[in-house]
Amino acid sequence: ELRVYVEAAIDFPEEEIDFLRTDEVRARFAAIDLSLHELLAGARRGQRLRDGLNVVILGAPNVGKSSLLNALAGHDRAIVTAIPGTTRDVLREHLNVDGLPITIIDTAGLRETRDEVESEGIARANREARRADLVLWVEAPEIRDPGPGARDSEEPGSRPPRLTIHNKLDLTGGEPRIERREDGVHVHLSAKTGAGLDLLRQALLQHAGLADGSVGDFSARARHVEALVRCQEQLASARAHALTTGDGELAAEDLRLAHEALGEITGRFRADDLLGQIFSSFCIGK
């Protein structure tokens, strides 16, 4: 309907159909933007339900990363010792948390080392972190700074969302809890005793947008989400052209591209369909 308004305004100027910058067009843009925002949120929830989350565990050696993997998995998936650098390679475990598929990835401890094998393990940890949907950054009371070995995973623009785990409550005597700080969510737990693991599972569901038990509007694939994102971007551009600069032709082209992006999901809308809508909506050529 918005395309009909804009196309009619620019293609039939002799009819004096000037709808650009009007309150009605502004309201239509706002309504579409709101609906698209809600749909995209639902689609992302649906995509996560379908594809799951890739979660990477990072931190310095001996903070309890492998113990956390074992605790979440419910069995001894990773070798746990007091010797720093025990984990050299990437370990994957597939979990299901209240219907949400999660791949938990344990990695080598981040630190400076001259050991060639351990260095390769750290490099792999950083590569996994850059591809992750979420990083579980594990800290322990006696070990907080992983040193320069973690720098690769901190490159601007490559950093995924982070959830900070304060492990080893069994040593400090603290209570399991979730804190929401300016730098993100912090979970205090003990991987050894299992205290606070339920809070971590809750935080994972919240990150996926599923904490309230809701599901997506449809079981979205990655291409559905990409199409909705492109639609949202083109709509924002059309809104600026139509309501700010008054460039009707550019607004019409942006709306066409937005409509095409939606058409990848719903089916194509042809130019003849648009003309039919225009002539049925206005007294043009009569």
Side-chain angles (χ1 to χ4, degrees):
E1 291 177 355
L2 186 56
R3 285 188 68 194
V4 167
Y5 269 69
V6 174
E7 295 278 1
I10 62 177
D11 288 345
F12 301 96
E14 68 278 1
E15 301 290 340
E16 298 183 354
I17 304 173
D18 186 11
F19 295 114
L20 298 184
R21 303 196 198 189
T22 65
D23 290 340
E24 184 170 356
V25 169
R26 192 179 303 274
R28 285 179 181 271
F29 268 111
I32 295 171
D33 187 58
L34 178 61
S35 295
L36 191 58
H37 178 79
E38 293 174 349
L39 179 60
L40 189 53
R44 283 178 170 142
R45 288 195 297 268
Q47 182 189 11
R48 284 169 180 151
L49 277 172
R50 178 186 177 89
D51 300 333
L53 289 178
N54 280 334
V55 179
V56 173
I57 304 175
L58 289 183
N62 278 11
V63 294
K65 300 185 303 300
S66 295
S67 296
L68 182 61
L69 173 68
N70 290 341
L72 288 170
H75 61 90
D76 291 338
R77 176 67 175 85
I79 298 173
V80 176
T81 74
I83 303 172
T86 301
T87 301
R88 300 287 186 100
D89 206 348
V90 172
L91 296 177
R92 286 179 168 81
E93 183 71 13
H94 301 286
L95 312 176
N96 189 295
V97 178
D98 289 350
L100 174 65
I102 298 178
T103 300
I104 298 286
I105 303 169
D106 187 23
T107 60
L110 303 180
R111 66 171 179 174
E112 282 292 321
T113 179
R114 294 183 179 179
D115 186 292
E116 185 176 350
V117 177
E118 188 176 0
S119 295
E120 175 59 25
I122 291 172
R124 293 186 182 188
N126 287 318
R127 286 196 295 270
E128 291 292 340
R130 286 191 285 270
R131 294 194 292 260
D133 297 314
L134 177 68
V135 163
L136 300 185
W137 181 263
V138 183
E139 297 181 355
E142 74 279 16
I143 305 172
R144 288 191 178 275
D145 183 6
R151 286 176 184 168
D152 287 350
S153 63
E154 293 295 318
E155 291 178 0
S158 65
R159 184 185 305 167
R162 172 182 292 190
L163 196 158
T164 303
I165 306 296
H166 300 270
N167 192 22
K168 302 192 179 183
L169 282 185
D170 51 289
L171 299 181
T172 64
E175 290 295 324
R177 65 189 187 277
I178 289 182
E179 294 179 336
R180 288 171 175 79
R181 307 178 187 175
E182 290 184 359
D183 62 344
V185 176
H186 292 244
V187 180
H188 298 255
L189 56 76
S190 170
K192 183 177 181 179
T193 67
L197 283 180
D198 56 334
L199 299 178
L200 174 56
R201 294 187 183 99
Q202 177 185 334
L204 291 171
L205 290 173
Q206 288 176 339
H207 176 77
L210 301 171
D212 58 357
S214 60
V215 296
D217 291 338
F218 58 92
S219 182
R221 298 179 182 271
R223 67 178 183 85
H224 293 148
V225 175
E226 292 170 2
L228 290 173
V229 168
R230 279 187 278 115
C231 178
Q232 194 174 49
E233 292 171 348
Q234 294 297 156
L235 183 69
S237 179
R239 186 174 190 168
H241 286 137
L243 303 179
T244 304
T245 64
D247 294 328
E249 289 84 359
L250 294 178
E253 177 63 10
D254 286 329
L255 288 173
R256 182 186 69 81
L257 293 173
H259 208 169
E260 281 194 356
L262 285 182
E264 295 176 15
I265 303 173
T266 63
R268 299 296 181 182
F269 187 86
R270 301 170 301 168
D272 288 346
D273 298 325
L274 181 64
L275 286 174
Q277 291 287 342
I278 292 174
F279 284 113
S280 64
S281 301
F282 306 107
C283 296
I284 294 175
K286 294 185 179 178

